[in-house]
Amino acid sequence: MSARALPASLYADTARPAVPTPELRGETRVGTVLIGGGFTALSAALHLAEAGHAVAVLEAAEPGWGASGRNGGQVNPGLKALPSEVARHFGPERGARLAAAAWNAPDLVFDLIARHGIDCAAARGGTLRAATAASQLPALRRLAEECAARGGDVAWLDAAQIAARTGTSRYRAALLDRRGGQVNPLALARGLARAAIAHGAAIHGGSRALSVRRAGAGWRVGTQRGAVLADRVVFATNGYADRLWDRLRRTVVPVSSAIIATAPLPAEARARILAGREVLYELGAITTYYRIDDAGRLLIGGRSSLGDRAGPHAFPGLRRQALALWPFLRGVAWTHGWNGHVAVTPDHYPHWHEPMPGIIACLGYNGRGVAMATLLGREVARRALGAGTEDILLPPGPIRPIPCHAAWPLGVTAGILHGRLADALARRWPPGPGA
Ligand SMILES: Cc1cc2nc3c(=O)[nH]c(=O)nc-3n(C[C@H](O)[C@H](O)[C@H](O)COP(=O)(O)OP(=O)(O)OC[C@H]3O[C@@H](n4cnc5c(N)ncnc54)[C@H](O)[C@@H]3O)c2cc1C
C-alpha cells in the first residue's frame, strides 16, 4: 500500500467514487487556503464557497484520506464533559452556547447531507452511551438529566432494555440520545468535497503543503508543483499533521483506533444487535464502539496498537471482543480491518488557534470529529468571513505543545494497559446483581 493510498477499509470498497481533485499546478490566488482534506477543511470550504468566498483546499492524499474517511461513522452529539462542566469551563453564556451547539451538532451533519443530497448511507437511529460498570452510572444519570433539562431527546435504558437492544448482557444501563446517527464517513467526506466544488471551491488532492511564508499582506503556501496565495491559511491537519508546523502537531496525541467489519449478518443476528440502527459506544477508559450499517454489516472498533495495519485478521483482539459480546456470531465472515489516528487533547476539548492575523488552526476532537469537526469547520468559515472571536463557539487558545510529546507511543501503550485493568476492575467492583 503506497503512503497515499486509502486504507483498505470497508468504506473504500463501498463509498461512491470521488470527484476528481487534481494536483495543484502553478500559482493561484484565493481568500482562504485550507491545509488538510478532512471534515474540518471540507466543512469550512463548503460553508465558505456557499458564501461566495474564494477558497482552495490542499490535501496531501485525497479528501477523506485521514481520520475523516476511516472512522467509526458515528455521528455523536456532545463533548466528553457534561454540559454543566462546559458552562463552568467557558463561562455561563459561552459555555451554554458551546454545549448547545455540540450536543446538537448532528443536526448540522444531517442537514448538510440532506441539503446537498449526499449519498452516504446516513441513518439517525440515535447514539447509545453504554455503562459497563456500576461506577459509571452516577455520571451517566447526570448527563441524562442535563440533556433532558436542555431539551435533548434522550431516554434512559435499564440493563434489561439495553440488553434487548444490543443482544448482550454486558451493560448496566445506557443513555439513548436520539440526536445521534451514522454515516459511511468516506462517502460523507467525498460528498462534502463534491458539494464544495459545485459551489466554486478548488480542491487539490496529491498536494501536500510544504511551506507557508509571508507574501505581502497575505501568505504563500507552496506545494511540489504549485503555490496558493491567500489572505488566510487554515491548518486542518489534525492527527495526521506532518512537520509543516511542528509546534501545532505536538498539541495533540494521535491515539490509534481500529475497526473490523463483517459481511452482512444473517437476519436473526441483525434482529438482535441494534436493529434500530443505533450506534453504541461504551463508557470507560478504553472505548469500544459499534454499529450495524445499511447492508447489515457489523462494524466494531476500539483502541489498537500503533502503526498502520489492515486486513480482517489484523486485529484479533477486536474479533475476540465481538465474539465475547455475541457468541452467536461465531462463524460469520470478517471482511475488513483498518486503523487510524484519533487526535486527543489533554483537556479533551477541541482547540482552535489564531496566533497571528491570517493563520488559523482547528483540531483535537477526541473521537467526536464527525459532528464536531463539521461544526468547527463551519466556525472557521464564519471567522474567515469576519465573525469576531467572541462570536465563535470556542474561544481561541494558545498553542501549547504537550511536554515529552515524542514519548507518546509509550504513554499510549501504558495507558491502554492501565485502562484495560481499570475497566476490568470497575466491572468487578462493586459487584453487580447476580455477581
Ligand atoms: C478509527 C477511528 C474511528 C473514529 N470514530 C469516530 C466516530 O465514530 N465518530 C466520530 O465523531 N469521530 C470518530 N473518529 C474521529 C474523527 O474521524 C476525527 O475527529 C475527524 O475525522 C477529524 O477530521 P479532520 O478534518 O480534523 O482531520 P483528518 O480527517 O484526519 O484530516 C487531516 C488531513 O490532513 C492531511 N494533511 C496532513 N498534513 C498535510 C499537509 N502538509 N498538506 C496537505 N494535507 C495534509 C492528511 O492527509 C489528512 O487527510 C475516529 C477516528 C478514527 C481514526
Side-chain angles (χ1 to χ4, degrees):
M1 184 171 68
S2 94
R4 300 243 168 125
L6 284 170
S9 73
L10 174 65
Y11 311 134
D13 283 350
T14 55
R16 209 174 143 185
V19 287
T21 50
E23 183 185 358
L24 177 71
R25 286 174 189 257
E27 210 166 83
T28 176
R29 173 174 282 283
V30 293
T32 301
V33 58
L34 297 134
I35 302 177
F39 292 139
T40 306
L42 295 170
S43 169
L46 175 54
H47 285 97
L48 284 168
E50 280 189 304
H53 183 88
V55 56
V57 173
L58 297 176
E59 161 56 49
E62 64 175 274
W65 178 88
S68 297
R70 58 176 89 187
N71 61 59
Q74 301 202 357
V75 189
N76 291 331
L79 295 162
K80 180 164 177 149
L82 291 166
S84 58
E85 291 166 347
V86 178
R88 235 187 353 266
H89 195 98
F90 292 100
E93 194 277 324
R94 190 170 210 158
R97 199 156 33 108
L98 172 60
W103 263 269
N104 290 298
D107 283 349
L108 173 66
V109 176
F110 288 105
D111 284 353
L112 286 171
I113 291 169
R115 196 145 53 82
H116 298 285
I118 298 175
D119 179 8
C120 61
R124 212 160 175 188
T127 293
L128 288 162
R129 290 182 176 84
T132 54
S135 57
Q136 297 159 356
L137 293 176
L140 191 61
R141 278 248 180 246
R142 251 185 84 193
L143 178 60
E145 286 159 15
E146 291 197 12
C147 284
R150 287 162 179 77
D153 188 359
V154 294
W156 184 265
L157 306 183
D158 64 20
Q161 288 169 317
I162 185 64
R165 281 193 190 235
T166 55
T168 167
S169 55
R170 177 170 163 82
Y171 306 114
R172 302 292 178 108
L175 180 64
L176 171 65
D177 190 329
R178 294 191 183 86
R179 292 169 289 197
Q182 61 170 283
V183 292
N184 173 327
L186 181 61
L188 175 58
R190 287 178 173 176
L192 291 172
R194 182 189 300 263
I197 291 168
H199 284 82
I203 301 190
H204 300 286
S207 302
R208 181 176 293 281
L210 299 173
S211 62
V212 177
R213 304 203 199 298
R214 277 214 175 273
W219 301 91
R220 182 180 191 279
V221 181
T223 65
Q224 200 179 352
R225 292 195 178 77
V228 183
L229 296 163
D231 302 328
R232 199 169 299 96
V233 183
V234 177
F235 285 77
T237 51
N238 206 9
Y240 283 90
D242 54 19
R243 293 186 185 249
L244 179 61
W245 186 359
D246 201 48
R247 271 175 65 77
L248 179 71
R249 181 184 68 84
R250 289 185 284 122
T251 62
V252 296
V253 174
V255 172
S256 197
S257 186
I259 299 174
I260 55 173
T262 66
L265 296 178
E268 322 79 76
R270 279 166 82 163
R272 291 172 75 177
I273 308 172
L274 301 180
R277 304 273 320 276
E278 309 89 329
V279 302
L280 182 146
Y281 70 87
E282 294 184 353
L283 303 175
I286 302 296
T287 306
T288 298
Y289 48 94
Y290 53 87
R291 68 184 176 96
I292 301 286
D293 79 357
D294 56 325
R297 305 175 188 97
L298 169 72
L299 288 87
I300 180 167
R303 289 280 169 86
S304 85
S305 51
L306 301 161
D308 286 349
R309 302 213 188 130
H313 306 294
F315 307 101
L318 271 179
R319 191 189 299 206
R320 277 196 300 276
Q321 215 170 332
L323 293 179
L325 285 169
W326 306 288
F328 56 87
L329 290 188
R330 210 163 290 282
V332 302
W334 296 89
T335 59
H336 296 80
W338 66 95
N339 65 352
H341 304 172
V342 177
V344 173
T345 56
D347 62 4
H348 298 289
Y349 286 107
H351 296 168
W352 86 274
H353 310 286
E354 196 175 294
M356 62 191 86
I359 296 285
I360 294 176
C362 190
L363 72 171
Y365 309 105
N366 297 277
R368 292 176 168 77
V370 179
M372 284 308 294
T374 309
L375 179 69
L376 293 184
R378 185 198 70 187
E379 293 299 285
V380 164
R382 291 181 60 240
R383 176 69 182 143
L385 292 169
T389 53
E390 66 295 339
D391 220 27
I392 300 298
L393 282 172
L394 266 178
I399 294 171
R400 285 207 187 99
I402 294 167
C404 306
H405 188 265
W408 65 261
L410 264 183
V412 169
T413 307
I416 291 176
L417 292 175
H418 175 265
R420 285 206 178 115
L421 185 64
D423 283 354
L425 289 174
R427 277 196 299 279
R428 280 175 181 70
W429 190 262

